[in-house]
Amino acid sequence: MRTFVLSGGGNRGPLEVGALRALLERGIQPEMIVGSSAGALNGAMLASNPTLEMTHQMQQLWVRAGERKLISASPGRSLLQLVRGASYISDNSALKRWIVRRALPASRQNFGDLAVKLYVTIAHLRTHTLYVYGDDPSSNIADAVITSAAVPGFFPPTLRKGEVFVDGGAVSNLPVRLAVSRGATEIWAIDLAFSHDHPRSFDRLLNIVDAAVKPVLYGEALRELKSVVRMPGIVVHHIPIYVLGDFSRVNEMVEAGAREVGKYLDAPAPNQIRYPKEWRAADLPEGPPGSRPFLPE
């Protein structure tokens, strides 16, 4: 079963839109979609109508999302939330309304309504267990997506009988093992990958947290890929996209995603995992006085 596996990536979600457009333009159609975080949102939209026309609509919806700042928080409000001791700094009610009213047709609000089978991941925070939406056709898509995108500390978690559920990417940001468990045999893994390669500013708290946490999460994604490519009868196309996100440049991100997939399709490499750059001692900056880099052999 041909399956698109869409990773999380926050405001880099438009890169996936371009990637999906490029796949559809080459006649590669999904029979199933598995998404985590931003990938859950993109996956839900595509599963409702898996056509090139939908990818153009998705692009425009991301443009509107950026203009309305649906997934950002003002510094003042964030500070107030922190002072109050809140468990998050940004409200996601506007994002949920956007999903219900704009991202999904009125006739495609539950999993059983979709044109293509969809699975969405969320994470149980206390046990770090992956939970899955999609087996129950009556489940609400917006509820699933809003929890799958609930970045811990940034968006409010979903509470159920005292238990806390958050962004699926906290456990599996590229859920290829889940895809195999649900019948995938041909996987197109669109990976909004962590990369060391890009210069970035560390003058903001969220940037620092992002840079500290992502390498750990990406290590789990690589472990999943390694286990799946060894499975007999499974073909994996791993397409990482090492491009930074910027909501002021949504259209450029869409085109960048399309270019990366186009390059892969011109020279496909099934069952080959593409790894981020490994640093050499000579490439690293000078550390604080008295310190030096340790790179195990």
Side-chain angles (χ1 to χ4, degrees), residues 181-204:
S181 75
R182 295 304 190 267
T185 54
E186 177 188 334
I187 295 173
W188 293 83
I190 307 303
D191 183 4
L192 304 187
F194 163 77
S195 173
H196 297 280
D197 295 345
H198 297 288
R200 49 187 306 149
S201 169
F202 296 112
D203 58 349
R204 296 183 180 182

Side-chain angles (χ1 to χ4, degrees), residues 103 110 292:
N110 295 329
R292 60 182 181 178

Side-chain angles (χ1 to χ4, degrees), residues 2-292:
R2 179 180 288 161
T3 303
F4 291 175
V5 177
L6 308 179
S7 83
N11 66 351
R12 296 195 295 160
L15 293 166
E16 276 181 342
V17 176
L20 294 170
R21 189 190 76 196
L23 290 174
L24 295 179
E25 285 174 341
R26 300 286 188 103
I28 301 170
Q29 290 277 347
E31 297 172 281
M32 182 169 69
I33 299 172
V34 179
S36 181
S37 197
L41 174 57
N42 285 328
M45 288 189 283
L46 189 69
S48 72
N49 181 18
T51 63
L52 275 173
E53 179 186 357
M54 173 52 77
T55 64
H56 298 309
Q57 292 179 31
M58 290 163 67
Q59 181 172 347
Q60 293 309 308
L61 285 169
W62 274 102
V63 169
R64 294 188 191 119
E67 291 171 348
R68 297 175 184 180
K69 303 184 185 301
L70 294 183
I71 53 178
S72 63
S74 69
R77 181 179 178 83
S78 299
L79 178 60
L80 183 60
Q81 288 288 90
L82 290 173
V83 169
R84 288 175 172 172
S87 59
Y88 61 91
I89 62 174
S90 180
D91 181 59
N92 61 2
S93 57
L95 176 60
K96 185 171 183 179
R97 288 194 300 271
W98 178 71
I99 293 170
V100 172
R101 298 174 184 175
R102 295 282 189 174
L104 297 174
S107 59
R108 296 282 193 269
Q109 296 291 314
N110 295 329
F111 280 85
D113 302 328
L114 296 171
V116 171
K117 187 68 177 176
L118 172 70
Y119 292 97
V120 166
T121 67
I122 63 173
H124 181 220
L125 190 59
R126 181 167 59 84
T127 63
H128 270 222
T129 301
L130 197 69
Y131 280 57
V132 183
Y133 279 94
D135 293 313
D136 180 357
S138 67
S139 295
N140 181 264
I141 298 168
D143 288 342
V145 170
I146 208 70
T147 305
S148 187
V151 178
F154 190 76
F155 279 144
T158 294
L159 305 178
R160 172 68 174 172
K161 295 183 178 180
E163 299 293 342
V164 180
F165 296 88
V166 297
D167 189 334
V171 173
S172 178
N173 201 45
L174 188 67
V176 289
R177 279 197 294 247
L178 171 61
V180 171
S181 75
R182 295 304 190 267
T185 54
E186 177 188 334
I187 295 173
W188 293 83
I190 307 303
D191 183 4
L192 304 187
F194 163 77
S195 173
H196 297 280
D197 295 345
H198 297 288
R200 49 187 306 149
S201 169
F202 296 112
D203 58 349
R204 296 183 180 182
L205 173 62
L206 290 178
N207 284 355
I208 294 172
V209 172
D210 184 64
V213 171
K214 273 191 175 177
V216 178
L217 297 180
Y218 198 53
E220 177 57 30
L222 293 175
R223 284 188 287 273
E224 284 205 42
L225 284 165
K226 287 178 186 178
S227 69
V228 169
V229 297
R230 297 190 188 109
M231 295 179 180
I234 305 297
V235 176
V236 179
H237 298 274
H238 178 220
I239 310 178
I241 304 177
Y242 297 126
V243 179
L244 293 178
D246 183 346
F247 258 153
S248 68
R249 302 166 59 191
V250 167
N251 292 326
E252 292 177 40
M253 280 196 287
V254 170
E255 295 307 318
R259 282 195 302 272
E260 290 300 308
V261 169
K263 286 190 289 186
Y264 177 86
L265 292 174
D266 289 340
N271 287 352
Q272 293 186 26
I273 301 171
R274 296 168 65 190
Y275 292 90
K277 175 181 178 179
E278 292 187 3
W279 290 100
R280 300 174 303 168
D283 299 326
L284 294 167
E286 180 181 349
S291 70
R292 60 182 181 178

